[in-house]
Amino acid sequence: MLIKSPVKSALKESQVTDEGVYNGRRSLLKSMGFIGAGTLLSNSIATSANAEGFGLFSSDEVKTFEQKPLKYTPANVTENSEILTPESKVISHNNFYEFGTNKSDPVNNSQGFNVNPWSLKISGEVNKPFTLDYDDLFNKYAIEERIYRLRCVEAWSMVIPWLGFSLSEIIKQADPTSKAKYVAFETLDDPKQMPGQRSRRVGGGIDFPYVEGLRMDEAMNPLTFMSVGVYGKTLPPQNGAPIRLVVPWKYGFKSIKSIVGIKLVEKMPPTTWNILGPNEYGFYANVNPEVSHPRWSQASERRITAGGLFSRNRIETLPFNGYSEEVAHMYKDMDLRKHY
Ligand SMILES: Nc1nc2c(c(=O)[nH]1)N[C@H]1C(S)=C(S)[C@@H](COP(=O)(O)O)O[C@H]1N2
Ligand SMILES: [Mo]
């Protein structure tokens, strides 16, 4: 299927995200001087200003990114399954600061993103380092569908049918040494393709490349997923093509996109949002309704569904995003208020 961009129907972020929360997170960036007056203008003015500033393509030029259909084992869908967030919203309301800080920036600024050739290097404390090329991502591991909730730290959420395989398959293949205690991930660093990496303002003040990390047991947990597709096809760039992490019991920022490096390491690796706001974003970032963000509650979330633009769809946030049975045992001896 072809996706056209700019997406005219892209939702305004204020319509799909709680405005208080949205403005709250941005106030961190603003206070740090990373959001200029331009981005605080009305949506339409800000959008045209951004399109010019990014200079990837002019606003009247329509680029397309082609998603290829994938063969996969479908997920078990039961009567109790939650309603999926429509594909149109999954691929148009995104956080991917490499392409800009507004929710519609990623889809609008990434359609020319080149994913083939790609190189994903698995290295560090392993006996058998290796590199996966673009075709390997789709041919080396059996691809299955996993329907997961995605809970952003900004208090909105989606239900998304991802395609991919367990991260543990990659790690087992690399044969970790006894020193491997953490796994560090890195996104592509390519300012030519990623306008957010060219300017501190456009990229929200992040020191790119975006980096993330997991403890070894978290990385090996069967839920931890490497996604190469969504809704039956390869990922579009705005969702992290060609390969991204999905850790469904943690806030969305842990699910790092467009990964080029996976390194097994001895010490806890630095992580992007923790560097940017250590009091607000921890290394663990487990979804926890009882631990508020310093500037907003995490007790509930806005579920993004097919409902009308203005429909309120607020639900309670669940501990570990509803995956306690699978993951709570990993944290039984930890104070999760301290290790947020
Ligand atoms: N490299 C990179 N990965 C990233 C981000 C980002 O800005 N850069 N944003 C994160 C955040 S905050 C969220 S909520 C999810 C959003 O994933 P989605 O757009 O596919 O829903 O991606 C995460 N991964
Ligand atoms: Mo997020």
Side-chain angles (χ1 to χ4, degrees):
M1 193 193 107
L2 295 176
I3 297 173
K4 292 205 165 68
S5 175
V7 175
K8 297 248 159 46
S9 62
L11 302 173
K12 282 186 192 169
E13 51 206 329
S14 57
Q15 290 172 324
V16 288
T17 306
D18 255 12
E19 271 175 76
V21 168
Y22 163 71
N23 292 330
R25 199 185 190 195
R26 286 172 70 83
S27 75
L28 166 73
L29 301 178
K30 195 172 175 243
S31 69
M32 298 170 82
F34 294 128
I35 297 180
T39 46
L40 298 173
L41 297 174
S42 78
N43 196 63
S44 58
I45 297 170
T47 301
S48 54
N50 284 343
E52 272 171 41
F54 294 170
L56 264 196
F57 17 85
S58 65
S59 46
D60 49 342
E61 187 185 346
V62 176
K63 291 252 176 175
T64 55
F65 180 90
E66 195 180 349
Q67 291 176 268
K68 297 190 191 113
L70 285 173
K71 285 209 177 90
Y72 59 93
T73 309
N76 264 336
V77 180
T78 68
E79 274 180 34
N80 299 328
S81 297
E82 282 165 86
I83 298 165
L84 297 183
T85 298
E87 181 178 11
S88 60
K89 294 188 183 180
V90 172
I91 65 176
S92 66
H93 175 274
N94 303 97
N95 274 332
F96 199 169
Y97 279 26
E98 284 84 340
F99 293 102
T101 55
N102 289 306
K103 295 290 178 284
S104 56
D105 286 340
V107 64
N108 286 332
N109 298 314
S110 70
Q111 298 307 294
F113 187 52
N114 245 321
V115 297
N116 189 4
W118 194 261
S119 170
L120 169 54
K121 193 175 154 195
I122 293 88
S123 66
E125 289 297 341
V126 296
N127 294 310
K128 297 174 187 156
F130 62 97
T131 301
L132 298 171
D133 68 20
Y134 182 80
D135 290 329
D136 292 336
L137 302 179
F138 306 99
N139 299 322
K140 282 235 158 163
Y141 312 97
I143 296 181
E144 57 176 304
E145 182 185 45
R146 299 263 187 103
I147 299 173
Y148 282 156
R149 292 177 285 276
L150 178 100
R151 171 50 160 91
C152 179
V153 76
E154 296 164 331
W156 52 265
S157 65
M158 298 189 182
V159 181
I160 304 178
W162 301 109
L163 307 178
F165 43 87
S166 290
L167 172 61
S168 65
E169 298 208 32
I170 287 187
I171 294 179
K172 277 186 223 150
Q173 189 184 333
D175 189 15
T177 72
S178 59
K179 281 187 178 167
K181 299 280 191 284
Y182 293 89
V183 183
F185 303 85
E186 194 171 304
T187 293
L188 179 71
D189 190 6
D190 188 355
K192 282 209 181 83
Q193 294 205 75
M194 295 171 148
Q197 294 182 337
R198 300 203 289 257
S199 138
R200 303 275 288 172
R201 183 183 69 80
V202 176
I206 289 175
D207 204 0
F208 293 105
Y210 194 102
V211 288
E212 257 305 336
L214 294 172
R215 211 170 57 189
M216 196 62 178
D217 59 335
E218 299 177 320
M220 295 301 289
N221 188 283
L223 287 187
T224 306
F225 202 55
M226 296 300 293
S227 170
V228 295
V230 68
Y231 265 107
K233 294 158 295 208
T234 53
L235 291 172
Q238 60 272 26
N239 292 89
I243 185 163
R244 58 91 58 83
L245 181 68
V246 180
V247 195
W249 71 94
K250 293 178 180 284
Y251 291 120
F253 65 82
K254 298 294 289 182
S255 293
I256 180 173
K257 295 176 171 180
S258 303
I259 302 172
V260 294
I262 298 179
K263 192 171 181 184
L264 282 77
V265 294
E266 203 173 353
K267 299 209 174 85
M268 185 182 278
T271 57
T272 286
W273 276 95
N274 180 250
I275 296 167
L276 208 56
N279 304 325
E280 310 198 347
Y281 310 102
F283 175 83
Y284 286 96
N286 294 316
V287 174
N288 190 343
E290 287 173 16
V291 175
S292 296
H293 184 280
R295 290 180 287 114
W296 61 83
S297 164
Q298 295 290 25
S300 68
E301 66 204 48
R302 171 108 192 248
R303 175 61 55 83
I304 298 176
T305 65
L309 285 182
F310 302 100
S311 74
R312 307 291 305 170
N313 199 7
R314 189 149 279 281
I315 58 174
E316 264 180 45
T317 290
L318 301 173
F320 299 108
N321 204 21
Y323 299 99
S324 294
E325 221 173 282
E326 292 92 338
V327 304
H329 62 92
M330 295 190 287
Y331 311 101
K332 61 181 187 324
D333 299 323
M334 285 174 64
D335 178 354
L336 295 177
R337 291 192 168 273
K338 200 172 147 217
H339 299 283
Y340 53 90

